[in-house]
Amino acid sequence: MSDTQPLYDQLLAESKRTALLASCGSLLGWDEQTNLPRGGAAHRAEQSSLVAGLAHEWAVSPRRGELLRELESRGLPDAPDGPLAANVRELRRDYDRATKLPRRLVEELSRVTCLAQQAWVEARKRSAFRQFLPWLEQVVALKQEEAQALGAKTGVPYDALLDQYEPDATAAQVARAFAPLRDELVRLVAEIRDSGRAPDVSILARRYSVDAQRKFATEAARKIGFDLDAGRIDEAAHPFCSGIGPGDCRLTTRYDEHHFPGAFFGVLHEAGHGIYDQGLDRDHWGTPLGDSVSLGVHESQSRMWENRVGRSLAFWRHFFPQAQAAFPEALRDVPLDDFHAAINDVRPSFIRVEADEVTYNLHIMLRFELEQPLVAGDLAPSDVPAAWNEKFAGCFGLVPQSDAQGCLQDIHWSAGLIGYFPTYALGNMYAAQLFEAAERELGDLDAQFAAGEFRPLKEWLNANIHRRGRQYPPAKLIETVTDAAPSHAPLVRQLRTKFASLYGL
């Protein structure tokens, strides 16, 4: 170990230095979405491009390659999943991926996506896809170039992009995982539709003042474990979480005075991401062991807190009296059971981030099925609205009445995040499986939630998911923690149990 340690220390120093610069880029990105004046977009794009290019240059330095080769040639003294071996394994993975990409492409992607996101905000406001189309064409072309440069082992370009978000996953594997889940979801939606029950969702469209929403959502985020001394909550056109670095994690949401669930569950969702980022091991920050393992696992944390916890009856047994005090005009005359039924209403709808738990994954599958031909060149960006609407009608029996209701609703493609969408549905699957494992160890979690006790679940996730960083690949992490390979079955069990009760199935 003595002759290995100095080389290992140098490698970690290289990694931490690069991560520190990349975190400056993350801060620029957060500011772009929350505070940037419209006139500053072009300059911000140049700033972001410069930082991305420098971070890339540092990430592919010849010295980093030499250190990796030297360490690998000497043999690593700990177990395959031990700290040293895991860091070297994952840094090799990152290095091999980064060295395939020219700095020019990295800089151009950063510059174009910065401008494209600003264009998306305006196009979405006006529901004008044609206004956004030139930017989408540029982003898709750059992502196709990226996929070509990376080269997927499978020969499928989309897999090279998916691998960035869910390491080692392929489109074929994801499709196989989604197929039985889709069948179960379609069956459950039909049963709910035929149940004859329809919650009164007008409750949620009453007036909920933005100031009261902000205070109530912030308190809920704090209560479930988001550290507001090490984070903040702001407003943006599309909710997101940005983990800038230790002690600095930033969430955003958007408020609608006549739609309570949007901001509230958006905050719980992003707080779930934030709890993960805040739970990473600070001693390993800037290295794989101090980084999240995948977006699928990250989404498992946000979706768990948003849905399995936040939409549970137990959660609202604790929070509903506070909600009635915060929104007396809207909720004074509303029984808890009616409110709980309303926030769990299941019906086809247009907007993904406002979709119920059952239909949500169908929204994800639609995007997954569009992204693949888009990257392959079989779907032209100009044909996206028509393709979207056709698929949407097939999945939901609805046709979007505007681009904002359809293909312009998500920020992801403008940000170059092609390949990200499947991780939401994978995250739902992981979340259900992890929750079952947590409950086996911690006992009746719903009873704890009803008593306002959220710390046991948070600390279990801290220990079993967050502080492990990238010690294991995603699928192995889930299997290690739950003693079972990732499966759709726990999610189906969870949804059937919950909605059988709500809809008398």
Side-chain angles (χ1 to χ4, degrees), residues 333-388:
D333 63 342
V334 177
L336 170 58
D337 286 345
D338 288 1
F339 178 82
H340 180 244
I343 61 171
N344 286 289
D345 176 56
V346 174
R347 70 182 72 190
S349 58
F350 293 107
I351 306 300
R352 173 186 63 86
V353 297
E354 298 171 3
D356 60 81
E357 287 181 81
V358 182
T359 63
Y360 181 91
N361 294 295
L362 300 177
H363 286 265
I364 298 306
M365 293 169 191
L366 178 149
R367 289 154 175 78
F368 174 58
E369 291 169 2
L370 287 175
E371 284 189 337
Q372 293 172 75
L374 198 59
V375 172
D378 298 327
L379 173 63
S382 59
D383 294 331
V384 163
W388 180 292

Side-chain angles (χ1 to χ4, degrees), residues 1-134:
M1 180 67 175
S2 58
D3 61 340
T4 301
Q5 190 67 46
L7 297 172
Y8 181 61
D9 290 343
Q10 289 180 53
L11 180 64
L12 295 192
E14 286 264 339
S15 177
K16 290 180 179 182
R17 176 173 175 258
T18 305
L20 189 60
L21 181 58
S23 74
C24 296
S26 296
L27 187 57
L28 288 174
W30 170 84
D31 180 73
E32 175 197 337
Q33 296 298 319
T34 56
N35 294 314
L36 184 70
R38 290 179 61 183
H43 184 62
R44 177 55 47 84
E46 297 302 324
Q47 291 175 311
S48 299
S49 177
L50 175 63
V51 171
L54 284 172
H56 179 73
E57 181 181 314
W58 293 2
V60 300
S61 70
R63 180 56 180 158
R64 186 175 301 207
E66 291 169 5
L67 289 168
L68 283 166
R69 284 191 297 273
E70 189 65 25
L71 283 165
E72 291 162 342
S73 69
R74 295 186 181 201
L76 303 178
D78 59 353
D81 294 316
L84 192 153
N87 266 335
V88 170
R89 180 195 71 223
E90 293 301 307
L91 285 170
R92 164 59 72 185
R93 170 188 163 81
D94 295 345
Y95 182 78
D96 287 349
R97 183 181 179 90
T99 52
K100 294 175 182 177
L101 299 175
R103 177 171 175 172
R104 170 200 57 79
L105 176 58
V106 171
E107 290 179 335
E108 185 66 357
L109 266 167
S110 180
R111 186 188 70 81
V112 168
T113 55
C114 181
L115 295 170
Q117 288 175 80
Q118 295 297 316
W120 168 80
V121 169
E122 292 304 312
R124 179 176 170 271
K125 284 179 184 175
R126 300 178 185 180
S127 193
F129 177 78
R130 287 291 162 188
Q131 181 178 328
F132 178 61
L133 177 58

Side-chain angles (χ1 to χ4, degrees), residues 243-289:
I244 307 297
D248 189 354
C249 182
R250 307 186 182 201
L251 318 181
T252 70
T253 193
R254 61 191 184 207
Y255 296 95
D256 182 338
E257 200 169 58
H258 292 284
H259 185 67
F260 171 79
F264 183 78
F265 292 109
V267 167
L268 287 190
H269 180 99
E270 301 308 335
H273 283 304
I275 289 168
Y276 190 167
D277 285 345
Q278 291 178 340
L280 295 168
D281 192 332
R282 288 191 178 200
D283 291 339
H284 288 286
W285 186 84
T287 78
L289 286 184

Side-chain angles (χ1 to χ4, degrees), residues 296 299-301 303-304 308 426-436 478 494:
E299 291 299 340
S300 77
Q301 306 303 282
R303 298 292 289 171
M304 183 188 299
R308 179 55 186 85
L426 292 173
N428 283 330
M429 292 165 59
Y430 296 161
Q433 192 163 335
L434 289 168
F435 192 91
E436 286 187 353
I478 299 300
Q494 176 181 302

